[in-house]
Amino acid sequence: MRDVVRKALEVARARGAGYADARVVTRREERVAIKNGKVESVSALQSRGIGVRALVDGAWGFAASSVIDDREVMRIAEKAVEIARASALARAEPPVELAPVEPVEDRWESPMKEDPFEVKLEEKIDLLLEADRLMRKDPRIRVTQGLLSAFREDKVFASTEGTYVEQSKTETGAGISALAADAGEVQRRSYPSSFGGDYASRGYEYVREMDLAGHAEQVADEALALLEAPQCPSGKTTVILGSAQMALQVHESCGHPSELDRVFGTEASYAGTSFITPDKLGKLQYGSAAVNLVADATIPGGLGSFGYDDEGVPAQRITLVRNGLFVNYLTSRETAALLARHAGAPGGSTAGGGAGCQVARSNGTMRADGWNRLPIIRMTNINLEPGDWTFDELIRDTKEGIYMETNKSWSIDDKRLNFQFGTEIAWEIKDGSLGRILKNPTYTGITPEFWGACDAVCDKKHWHLWGLPNCGKGEPPQLAHVGHGTAPARFRNVRVGVGRW
């Protein structure tokens, strides 16, 4: 593919592009779904195409095609330049500037022990059916489901600045759930997480380690127990969130508001903006001293891990929140340069935000959902750094409160400030011990107040890197695969039991 992307860049440059990049992306996906003891669907998808992005007179143009031959590559390169030139005529904003990046030639592959596409389909179906069978031992279990997916992306990226990168990434994941219903009550439990389970940039060994069958009976038992459980009480109390729920808490109230394109309003119509405006960089007390958040695209196995983003910027580990202080955004080459201008510094130099802030270079978060989409800023692995508590210590140290686990619902405003979450299950905490199961647990908060009330985070032993393959953003919509490393954490004076039941 080296000749293909080189041809595209030569044409774009010859037609007047000041900068251009080209991506050839090949994707393969396999998905097996089980429902109520039967195979609901088996699907296998594959696509390949090329996308060319061109910068002319300070404006972007983009064109893509699923046909990869000399004539078509020339056509889309010319089209990208043509669109960029037309866009420049209507440009209302200052011309696009790109923060610098060193050109590189490299190849990167995600770690994998067992190729999920080499595992027989019959084995995958049998694994899900066995877990399904174990969940259906009580007639009050009305719906059982299992899902197993494998995904691979091979990508070639090249730019007119001299970068050429080949990457290959494999992802695997699975999950099961049981829905119980009786006497007008309906409750669901999932494992290892809700909405399809958990995913990692690893091979089929990740699915084997989940031991779906070994957890199936517990999933069903908890769904049944929820039918008889008392309602989550209303009021203010101490809340401990389990690791799976913490992943979505971090995703919605930390990851999205730190995306710099949202801050500048270029994602406002679909995904909203952010309350973390540039004047808050290096000044906003985002949370308590126990809160340390990083964006780490280098951690092995994360859905948000890669070698280089879709601008050829190397994967990085950066601090977003240090001891509660907000110190960095997720940036692209364009937004990093724009932020530097906001801070009054020339592009390419360090600017604003105090110690630790590096805003004039991209920290490598631009990714596109395939060959026919423009890259936009996406979360990598947004992780809450572990603390030094064990889970048992955290419970023993809590006189009264509620332990909530596994997301069931979420709602957050368009600035990522005011949120409400529901979880599948909760346990009351009395005098340092877990007590009764509670149904329909919910909690609400204001982002900096909520994180400011975090006084304890569990240690590395309880920390897990969750994989979310369905983060939506962009117009037309794009789905990103992102990761969140989290451990159970405690929050004081949280309003719980909101809503009508």
Side-chain angles (χ1 to χ4, degrees):
M1 287 298 157
R2 184 184 286 267
D3 291 341
V4 171
V5 292
R6 179 183 295 160
K7 181 71 174 180
L9 299 178
E10 288 175 353
V11 171
R13 190 155 36 198
R15 297 298 186 272
Y19 168 87
D21 55 40
R23 288 176 292 115
V24 176
V25 181
T26 303
R27 283 184 163 186
R28 181 182 181 187
E29 184 174 3
E30 182 184 85
R31 176 185 169 104
V32 181
I34 300 292
K35 186 175 183 180
N36 291 339
K38 298 180 180 178
V39 177
E40 184 179 49
S41 65
V42 175
S43 61
L45 305 172
Q46 186 157 344
S47 72
R48 189 178 77 157
I50 180 172
V52 177
R53 191 176 66 148
L55 186 60
V56 179
D57 298 332
W60 288 112
F62 178 75
S65 176
S66 61
V67 177
I68 302 178
D69 59 30
D70 282 353
R71 184 175 180 180
E72 184 69 356
V73 168
M74 287 182 62
R75 187 189 72 80
I76 64 166
E78 291 173 344
K79 179 63 72 174
V81 172
E82 181 183 336
I83 293 171
R85 187 165 283 120
S87 298
L89 296 175
R91 175 169 47 79
E93 301 294 329
V96 171
E97 295 179 11
L98 298 179
V101 61
E102 297 298 320
V104 63
E105 290 206 15
D106 199 2
R107 175 170 176 79
W108 180 89
E109 289 188 17
S110 61
M112 177 180 63
K113 292 180 180 177
E114 186 176 8
D115 188 341
F117 294 99
E118 296 298 323
V119 177
K120 290 183 177 179
L121 181 60
E122 293 82 356
E123 182 178 339
K124 298 170 183 172
I125 292 173
D126 287 346
L127 183 147
L128 292 178
L129 285 176
E130 175 61 8
D132 189 278
R133 183 186 68 79
L134 293 168
M135 289 190 292
R136 288 185 296 110
K137 292 185 174 179
D138 189 297
R140 292 174 295 167
I141 297 294
R142 305 298 177 88
V143 181
T144 51
Q145 292 179 287
L147 180 67
L148 195 160
S149 298
F151 180 86
R152 177 167 294 144
E153 182 178 80
D154 295 301
K155 186 187 309 180
V156 173
F157 171 90
S159 76
T160 52
E161 295 175 337
T163 288
Y164 178 85
V165 174
E166 297 180 356
Q167 299 187 86
S168 181
K169 184 175 178 180
T170 300
E171 299 170 351
T172 314
I176 56 174
S177 67
L179 186 143
D182 190 42
E185 185 72 42
V186 179
Q187 295 290 335
R188 178 189 298 274
R189 278 297 281 146
S190 306
Y191 171 83
S193 188
S194 51
F195 304 107
D198 186 26
Y199 293 78
S201 183
R202 296 176 57 193
Y204 195 73
E205 68 275 8
Y206 191 65
V207 172
R208 296 191 190 281
E209 292 170 8
M210 287 181 181
D211 187 17
L212 296 178
H215 291 83
E217 292 186 354
Q218 179 184 350
V219 168
D221 290 345
E222 290 182 350
L224 293 170
L226 283 165
L227 294 176
E228 311 294 334
Q231 178 72 26
C232 174
S234 298
K236 280 192 172 183
T237 189
T238 295
V239 167
I240 295 175
L241 297 181
S243 176
Q245 174 59 24
M246 281 298 299
L248 196 66
Q249 182 71 53
V250 168
H251 180 94
E252 300 293 354
S253 68
C254 303
H256 277 310
S258 64
E259 296 164 342
L260 194 49
D261 54 351
R262 300 178 67 118
V263 175
F264 286 135
T266 52
E267 279 297 317
S269 60
Y270 179 84
T273 60
S274 171
F275 73 96
I276 318 176
T277 48
D279 59 298
K280 296 182 174 64
L281 181 60
K283 300 174 183 175
L284 174 67
Q285 195 64 36
Y286 198 92
S288 71
V291 177
N292 290 282
L293 292 159
V294 301
D296 189 354
T298 69
I299 187 169
L303 286 199
S305 299
F306 45 81
Y308 298 84
D309 77 351
D310 286 341
E311 293 190 306
V313 177
Q316 298 168 43
R317 173 187 163 92
I318 61 165
T319 298
L320 299 176
V321 174
R322 180 184 299 114
N323 298 328
L325 183 68
F326 176 69
V327 296
N328 219 333
Y329 292 103
L330 302 174
T331 65
S332 63
R333 296 183 65 186
E334 177 182 345
T335 57
L338 184 58
L339 186 61
R341 290 205 300 270
H342 273 258
S349 63
T350 301
C357 300
Q358 298 176 4
V359 295
R361 284 184 177 267
S362 168
N363 47 46
T365 67
M366 286 285 272
R367 290 190 288 160
D369 183 9
W371 50 268
N372 58 351
R373 294 289 184 267
L374 271 165
I376 54 179
I377 292 177
R378 306 313 301 258
M379 287 179 245
T380 56
N381 304 297
I382 310 302
N383 305 331
L384 176 66
E385 293 287 81
D388 52 9
W389 293 70
T390 70
F391 183 72
D392 289 343
E393 288 172 345
L394 198 57
I395 296 297
R396 282 199 301 270
D397 189 66
T398 304
K399 183 171 180 55
E400 184 173 342
I402 299 175
Y403 167 49
M404 300 185 184
E405 179 57 298
T406 313
N407 183 262
K408 186 162 79 173
S409 65
W410 68 94
S411 175
I412 190 165
D413 70 24
D414 61 357
K415 291 186 182 298
R416 301 282 147 173
L417 195 58
N418 188 347
F419 61 80
Q420 176 180 318
F421 289 98
T423 65
E424 288 187 349
I425 194 168
W427 288 263
E428 66 178 357
I429 305 171
K430 291 283 188 182
D431 297 323
S433 298
L434 289 176
R436 300 177 301 169
I437 287 178
L438 303 173
K439 68 180 180 182
N440 305 322
T442 57
Y443 65 98
T444 186
I446 304 295
T447 297
E449 293 178 7
F450 182 79
W451 286 101
C454 178
D455 71 344
V457 181
C458 284
D459 59 19
K460 186 72 175 178
K461 181 181 178 182
H462 302 278
W463 192 90
H464 178 75
L465 181 56
W466 298 92
L468 282 64
N470 53 2
C471 174
K473 184 179 174 182
E475 292 180 308
Q478 301 189 36
L479 290 179
H481 298 193
V482 305
H484 299 295
T486 54
R490 185 172 64 187
F491 301 83
R492 301 291 194 180
N493 296 315
V494 178
R495 184 167 295 283
V496 302
V498 294
R500 296 181 178 179
W501 304 94

